[in-house]
Amino acid sequence: MAHLRKNPRQPTYDRAAALAHLADADPKLAKLIARAGPFTMKLAGGQSPFEALLESIIYQQLHGKAAATIHRRLLDSFIPVCGLDHLGEAVHPAAQHLLDCPNEQLRQAGLSHNKALALRDLAAKTLDGTVPTLARIRRMSDEDVIEHLTQVRGIGKWTVEMFLIFRLGRPDILPVSDYGVRKGFALTFGKLKPTDKVTPMDLPKPDVMERRAKRWHPWCSVVSWYLWRACDLANTDKADAPKPKPRKPRPAAAI
């Protein structure tokens, strides 16, 4: 999901129409929507595709705080070249800046060798047009965006799906490989309970999710957001569940 949210904004699609359609099409989903409350998702506004994808690569497989630190170090390392904005924050480097910087600069920011290679490939493919401009990408279909961006080293379909949902505000994306979406699906439509330990057998397969999603189109992004909320609600339920009372030790048998 999106991490830094400069200039957060609401999606441009009709959220009321989406919720009305989903509640009418799927009664079980309607119960989740009622419990989770209003759809309050915000988009990560103000980022170019290069900036958003650079951030996504850094955050892959890292704890949020650690990734944020590396991201900040990387941006700060370009201050001598790019300067500061009107708020006193580091101006984001352009693709050419990243290509021109020494390897040591990326290492000192905390980037692994593979992530450094991925960022350089992202920069190169931004300059050659493989990664489209924001104006162009907004005119492309979801499938075309995925096809273009997954050509970049280190960027898979899931990363592009997060970009489509949280940067472009596309309304009909269901990331069937996302753990949180799969767990939320199992909690909402399967037999998984908040107190259960999740096993791979509990999580639905993509075809199961896609069959149910036929009733959700064209609002699967909204459903995805609510499935993530289902996980949050389950964590709350688990924390609030009464703890089992400790058993009193049995007295030792008389000898």
Side-chain angles (χ1 to χ4, degrees):
M1 298 171 70
H3 309 288
L4 294 182
R5 294 187 177 181
K6 292 184 179 180
N7 305 316
R9 58 187 176 84
Q10 294 180 340
T12 57
Y13 48 80
D14 192 331
R15 289 163 292 154
L19 294 177
H21 169 86
L22 294 170
D24 184 59
D26 194 326
K28 285 189 177 181
L29 180 61
K31 291 180 181 179
L32 171 61
I33 291 172
R35 186 172 179 222
F39 179 65
T40 58
M41 188 185 85
K42 295 291 192 297
L43 304 184
Q47 290 179 313
S48 69
F50 172 70
E51 293 168 353
L53 294 171
L54 179 146
E55 183 183 356
S56 295
I57 290 172
I58 291 174
Y59 271 75
Q60 288 170 1
Q61 299 176 329
L62 285 178
H63 187 278
K65 289 185 178 179
T69 298
I70 293 171
H71 187 245
R72 176 51 51 198
R73 283 178 187 160
L74 179 64
L75 298 190
D76 287 349
S77 73
F78 284 96
I79 289 176
V81 176
C82 302
L84 300 171
D85 64 15
H86 67 286
L87 296 175
E89 297 181 354
V91 173
H92 200 288
Q96 190 65 57
H97 292 136
L98 195 69
L99 281 182
D100 292 342
C101 78
N103 291 330
E104 183 60 24
Q105 182 176 342
L106 302 182
R107 283 197 296 269
Q108 288 182 351
L111 289 162
S112 67
H113 177 67
N114 284 336
K115 287 196 176 181
L117 289 176
L119 292 187
R120 290 196 188 278
D121 191 52
L122 170 65
K125 287 187 167 64
T126 297
L127 292 172
D128 72 16
T130 303
V131 176
T133 63
L134 186 59
R136 181 181 165 209
I137 216 168
R138 282 175 170 159
R139 299 192 297 269
M140 296 168 63
S141 69
D142 299 337
E143 293 75 18
D144 285 345
V145 175
I146 292 171
E147 181 183 353
H148 272 72
L149 298 187
T150 52
Q151 296 177 58
V152 177
R153 179 184 179 127
I155 293 182
K157 184 179 179 182
W158 178 87
T159 299
V160 184
E161 288 170 335
M162 296 303 105
F163 177 75
L164 288 166
I165 294 172
F166 291 105
R167 178 61 185 94
L168 298 184
R170 296 292 174 90
D172 201 27
I173 305 298
L174 182 69
V176 295
S177 66
D178 183 88
Y179 177 82
V181 169
R182 296 175 73 199
K183 181 181 176 182
F185 188 100
L187 288 163
T188 306
F189 307 107
K191 296 180 180 180
L192 186 66
K193 293 181 172 53
T195 54
D196 291 343
K197 182 177 180 180
V198 183
T199 68
M201 295 296 294
D202 294 315
L203 300 177
K205 294 182 179 179
D207 62 316
V208 174
M209 301 174 72
E210 287 163 357
R211 279 199 300 272
R212 192 170 193 102
K214 290 179 181 178
R215 65 180 82 182
W216 300 336
H217 294 303
W219 307 112
C220 285
S221 297
V222 178
V223 178
S224 299
W225 188 86
Y226 275 102
L227 295 179
W228 281 312
R229 300 289 74 72
C231 297
D232 296 338
L233 292 171
N235 290 336
T236 301
D237 292 343
K238 187 175 182 179
D240 292 343
K243 304 294 186 293
K245 295 181 179 179
R247 293 182 179 180
K248 293 182 179 179
R250 293 183 179 182
I255 298 178

